[in-house]
Amino acid sequence: MYSLYSWGSPFESEGLYSFDASCVSAQTYLQLCKAEWQLCQVNSTGISQNGCLPALLYQDSKIESGFWRTVQFLKNQGYNLDADLDEEQISQLSAYISMIQDGLVDSLLFSWYLVSENFVEATRPRLAKLFGFPLSLAIPTQLQDYAVRRLKAVGISSEVEDANKAADDETMPGSLRSKLPRIYLLAKEGFRRHADKSTHPIYEQADQYLAALSKKLDKKQYFFGDKPTTLDTVAYGCLSLIVYVDLPQNTLKTTIVEKYSNLIAFCDRIHAHLSPPTIVSEQSFLGGMGSIVKHAISRYTNISTVPPNSKRADPNLPVQVRSVVGALFVFFGYVIYNGILSAPVSEQPPGVFSVIPDL
């Protein structure tokens, strides 16, 4: 019996059991290769060796983290969806998967987290309901921060950064300029929440990726014929979160519906083939709180207010350190005083240990 640890889902009524494309892909792979498995929904990455999900637990001791390591482990166990492909097809499969994971997923993250109307009215409320209070106050924003950093690395800026830069460039006294950006940012974000982002260049790029997938699929049942491969699981993991999730500004879904009907049929075909998994919820309040605290500390330690070439000490550093340390004392004092932290008999499988998660 395999146990797949995955982010939970606010879309179970739509037949999707995670909000993360990689987790959906791993779930689909396990189903299509007909392995015996159960789904463990978590609200932190503490179970993972490298801080990412999905994570696969096998025989209560063997853990593989990340989509590719999970798939490779399953292949080594005899569950190989790509066994009938030749070398040229394997090369094509890798190229299309890279296109999806490095390109189309970026468009999905932009649509969910960087389009203000979608994030405020759809993404954040759904994730907040999934994680529950008080984790709902922090984790959706942390996920948005991750999306912003990932997209920024490929040259795509968020509205938040654009507004902040514009405020910094305005001519005004230094003391006022240092206080204005965040206030200006919040106000501008509120007024521009309903701004139409459908013409953003990232959607033009996504259209090219979708066209390539549609051409590869053509009229076939799966991308390489009559049998599913890893490419089908990866494509479904991303496309299903576009096709079956409604957003106020659903540019990606509109593009697929209007131009690529075979991709819709492909998603519907796999969707109908999948059955609801056996779900074991292992969401931890302390694990979620640990991820919030660790994320806050990393933000303080990774951000410098001093120019890179300057040797002058940051005057704000002592205040930041005292704030973090004080917050930690208050948090753990509250936990111990109220009896939240205890040492019950472990119900976890042997070999599995709780750690502070790295969101």
Side-chain angles (χ1 to χ4, degrees):
M1 169 74 77
Y2 298 96
S3 297
L4 185 72
Y5 285 77
S6 167
W7 289 110
S9 174
F11 311 119
E12 290 189 7
S13 59
E14 287 82 11
L16 300 174
Y17 294 92
S18 180
F19 64 83
D20 179 75
S22 293
C23 292
V24 175
S25 298
Q27 295 168 21
T28 306
Y29 192 100
L30 282 163
Q31 291 233 26
L32 293 181
C33 71
K34 295 180 172 57
E36 185 180 357
W37 68 291
Q38 65 180 5
L39 176 62
C40 301
Q41 294 182 330
V42 295
N43 60 4
S44 73
T45 57
I47 189 66
S48 172
Q49 292 176 324
N50 57 7
C52 67
L53 295 174
L56 188 69
L57 176 65
Y58 178 59
Q59 293 183 346
D60 295 338
S61 60
K62 182 67 176 181
I63 295 179
E64 294 293 346
S65 303
F67 174 76
W68 279 114
R69 293 180 62 182
T70 296
V71 167
Q72 189 57 52
F73 179 82
L74 290 171
K75 286 183 177 181
N76 293 339
Q77 294 290 309
Y79 298 102
N80 189 356
L81 293 179
D82 306 328
D84 296 333
L85 301 182
D86 57 33
E87 291 185 5
E88 181 179 355
Q89 289 174 321
I90 290 292
S91 179
Q92 293 178 6
L93 176 141
S94 298
Y96 279 103
I97 288 179
S98 295
M99 182 187 71
I100 295 171
Q101 293 184 330
D102 297 336
L104 197 56
V105 170
D106 285 348
S107 305
L108 175 64
L109 293 176
F110 179 89
S111 181
W112 279 27
Y113 295 105
L114 272 69
V115 177
S116 298
E117 185 175 8
N118 290 345
F119 182 70
V120 172
E121 298 185 10
T123 306
R124 184 168 59 191
R126 290 166 179 168
L127 293 177
K129 183 177 180 180
L130 171 66
F131 290 110
F133 182 83
L135 305 182
S136 59
L137 300 178
I139 294 183
T141 303
Q142 291 178 9
L143 293 171
Q144 185 188 45
D145 289 344
Y146 162 76
V148 169
R149 293 196 304 271
R150 169 170 168 156
L151 294 173
K152 184 179 179 181
V154 294
I156 302 172
S157 298
S158 69
E159 297 175 18
V160 171
E161 290 174 330
D162 292 341
N164 197 28
K165 182 178 179 181
D168 280 336
D169 290 340
E170 293 184 9
T171 303
M172 60 188 64
S175 59
L176 179 59
R177 184 167 60 249
S178 65
K179 296 180 175 59
L180 178 62
R182 186 171 299 275
I183 301 173
Y184 171 75
L185 168 62
L186 294 174
K188 185 174 182 180
E189 193 74 5
F191 285 121
R192 298 183 59 187
R193 183 198 304 179
H194 301 287
D196 184 10
K197 297 296 178 182
S198 61
T199 59
H200 194 282
I202 197 171
Y203 292 128
E204 297 178 10
Q205 192 175 42
D207 191 12
Q208 297 176 8
Y209 299 146
L210 292 169
L213 286 174
S214 179
K215 183 178 179 179
K216 175 62 179 175
L217 180 62
D218 198 21
K219 297 180 181 180
K220 300 188 295 293
Q221 185 175 10
Y222 300 106
F223 283 98
F224 287 97
D226 297 330
K227 294 182 179 180
T229 63
T230 305
L231 174 57
D232 296 282
T233 67
V234 173
Y236 176 78
C238 180
L239 293 175
S240 62
L241 292 173
I242 298 174
V243 172
Y244 301 124
V245 175
D246 291 325
L247 298 172
Q249 292 189 34
N250 219 342
T251 306
L252 289 174
K253 181 177 181 178
T254 300
T255 300
I256 297 176
V257 170
E258 293 180 352
K259 300 176 66 175
Y260 307 111
S261 58
N262 63 335
L263 295 181
I264 295 288
F266 164 79
C267 286
D268 290 342
R269 188 160 47 247
I270 292 186
H271 199 69
H273 186 76
L274 303 178
S275 57
T278 301
I279 299 177
V280 178
S281 178
E282 297 200 9
Q283 300 191 51
S284 166
F285 172 79
L286 277 182
M289 288 302 296
S291 71
I292 294 174
V293 173
K294 193 167 186 179
H295 179 80
I297 295 174
S298 68
R299 287 181 64 88
Y300 275 119
T301 57
N302 291 335
I303 297 175
S304 174
T305 60
V306 183
N309 298 325
S310 174
K311 297 182 180 180
R312 179 173 56 88
D314 183 2
N316 295 321
L317 183 59
V319 177
Q320 295 173 351
V321 172
R322 287 196 298 269
S323 299
V324 172
V325 173
L328 287 174
F329 272 110
V330 171
F331 169 70
F332 287 111
Y334 176 84
V335 167
I336 295 172
Y337 179 78
N338 288 276
I340 298 175
L341 187 61
S342 58
V345 178
S346 176
E347 297 180 356
Q348 294 178 313
V352 181
F353 301 92
S354 296
V355 298
I356 297 180
D358 186 9
L359 186 66

